[in-house]
Amino acid sequence: MIGSAPTPPELLEIAITVARDAAATAHRMRAEGVSVAATKSTVTDVVTAADRAVERQVLTALRTRRPGDAVLGEEYGAGETGPAADGGVRWIVDPIDGTVNYLYGLPYCAVSLAAEVAGEVVAGVVRNIATGEEWTATAGGGAWRDGARLRCSAETDLGQALVATGFGYDAGRRAHQARVVAELIPHVRDIRRMGAAALDLCLAAEGRVDAYYEKGLAAWDLAAGGLVAREAGLRVTGLSGRPPGPDLVIAAPPALFEPLHTRLAALDASGGP
Ligand code: LIP
């Protein structure tokens, strides 16, 4: 690696340019008609031609702007560039988060792109493909949507909290997650299942939901939205002090974190298939 890594604002500028172009391509391909190209972990875990085309476009753009950087993507993994050099930059991309929504034409899907330096996410952008809403953040630089600085919910009563969550593609896991929701729902205001983790985290960042949790997220679902959420004041962790990851992600304002964490731990939210 030559010289030091760019600053978080410099990486964010690249991420925004690349994500906007990617979202435009996804939007155009949706208008032209989209179908299932293949399935992945289960028959309901679909990938469309647009997921692949958009990730390819992001890879090419990053290779041009930042030739030596590593890229980890949902569709092509890390295979295209290999791991990041020591202290180097790794980009983490979900070309279309909320692919099932995208397939059905529901306006809740996003391009998510984050830059990680020495293992820490330092810049991220989440752009809704249908609405054009754009959330950005840099480590220590705050979280923003369309030029407005974001602060998470000030709600202090879990019983009044609107909580977002999601379900996996495996039927057994969905059954376990549904049991957790069934036990949790009497103790919160209501549940929202909207279908895209990156957007759920961004809505929590600006208090359009009060909190979010989900089991089964991959790095690309979490990287950019997780930074936006943290920079807006949310605690974003796993269960029992573990880092946020596939076992469980909990994103909640400080006042709601412990009561929500206690309920989710008691309900074995990180358990099941
Ligand atoms: C989706 C996540 C969502 C989850 C879905 C799926 P994808 O990611 O964003 O939160 O509930 O099961 O994992 O597959 O659309 O990139």
Side-chain angles (χ1 to χ4, degrees), residues 25 42 55 66 91 96 100-101 120 127-128 143 152-153 187 215 217 232 234 243 254-255:
T25 298
T42 72
E55 187 164 320
R66 299 276 315 159
W91 298 89
I96 302 179
V100 172
N101 286 345
E120 187 206 348
R127 187 174 176 88
N128 184 312
C152 62
S153 162
H187 305 286
K215 173 185 172 70
L217 297 187
L234 292 162

Side-chain angles (χ1 to χ4, degrees), residues 22 38 82 144 192 235 251-252 260 264:
W144 305 79
R192 290 292 179 272
R235 285 184 64 181
L260 180 58
L264 292 173

Side-chain angles (χ1 to χ4, degrees), residues 12-104:
L12 181 61
E13 185 269 326
I14 295 170
I16 290 171
T17 305
V18 172
R20 285 180 180 172
D21 293 345
T25 298
H27 192 270
R28 173 179 53 73
M29 291 184 76
R30 183 74 204 53
E32 291 165 357
V34 71
S35 58
V36 174
T39 59
K40 299 187 282 187
S41 61
T42 72
V43 291
T44 58
D45 183 2
V46 298
V47 58
T48 70
D51 292 89
R52 291 172 172 167
V54 171
E55 187 164 320
R56 280 241 152 269
Q57 178 180 319
V58 170
L59 272 164
T60 305
L62 291 173
R63 251 208 210 107
T64 307
R65 300 284 302 264
R66 299 276 315 159
D69 291 356
V71 180
L72 170 66
E74 176 168 8
E75 305 313 334
Y76 298 106
E80 302 289 311
T81 62
D86 282 353
V89 177
R90 181 176 74 153
W91 298 89
I92 303 173
V93 56
D94 191 335
I96 302 179
D97 188 36
T99 296
V100 172
N101 286 345
Y102 181 80
L103 182 66
Y104 280 77

Side-chain angles (χ1 to χ4, degrees), residues 171-181 215 267-273:
R173 173 172 292 175
R174 284 201 298 280
H176 180 83
Q177 290 169 315
R179 282 192 292 275
V180 171
V181 166
K215 173 185 172 70
L267 296 171
D268 189 25
S270 66

Side-chain angles (χ1 to χ4, degrees), residues 232-267:
L234 292 162
R235 285 184 64 181
V236 182
T237 75
L239 218 52
S240 311
R242 285 193 285 276
D247 282 349
L248 196 69
V249 171
I250 306 173
L256 291 178
F257 185 85
E258 286 311 330
L260 180 58
H261 179 278
T262 302
R263 290 257 172 225
L264 292 173
L267 296 171

Side-chain angles (χ1 to χ4, degrees), residues 99-227:
T99 296
V100 172
N101 286 345
Y102 181 80
L103 182 66
Y104 280 77
L106 299 172
Y108 196 80
C109 48
V111 173
S112 173
L113 182 58
E116 185 191 65
V117 175
E120 187 206 348
V121 175
V122 297
V125 56
V126 174
R127 187 174 176 88
N128 184 312
I129 292 162
T131 67
E133 287 172 295
E134 184 179 276
W135 294 263
T136 60
T138 53
W144 305 79
R145 177 168 65 80
D146 304 332
R149 182 145 192 178
L150 306 179
R151 295 300 310 158
C152 62
S153 162
E155 182 57 65
T156 59
D157 174 6
L158 187 62
Q160 295 287 322
L162 187 62
V163 177
T165 192
F167 302 91
Y169 289 116
D170 171 77
R173 173 172 292 175
R174 284 201 298 280
H176 180 83
Q177 290 169 315
R179 282 192 292 275
V180 171
V181 166
E183 296 291 324
L184 178 66
I185 205 164
H187 305 286
V188 298
R189 173 190 296 274
D190 203 346
I191 293 285
R192 290 292 179 272
R193 194 302 189 242
M194 294 177 282
L199 289 172
D200 293 347
L201 286 159
C202 290
L203 292 198
E206 59 173 286
R208 286 157 81 180
V209 295
D210 296 300
Y212 164 73
Y213 76 92
E214 186 162 357
K215 173 185 172 70
L217 297 187
W220 42 79
D221 297 314
L222 175 61
L227 181 65

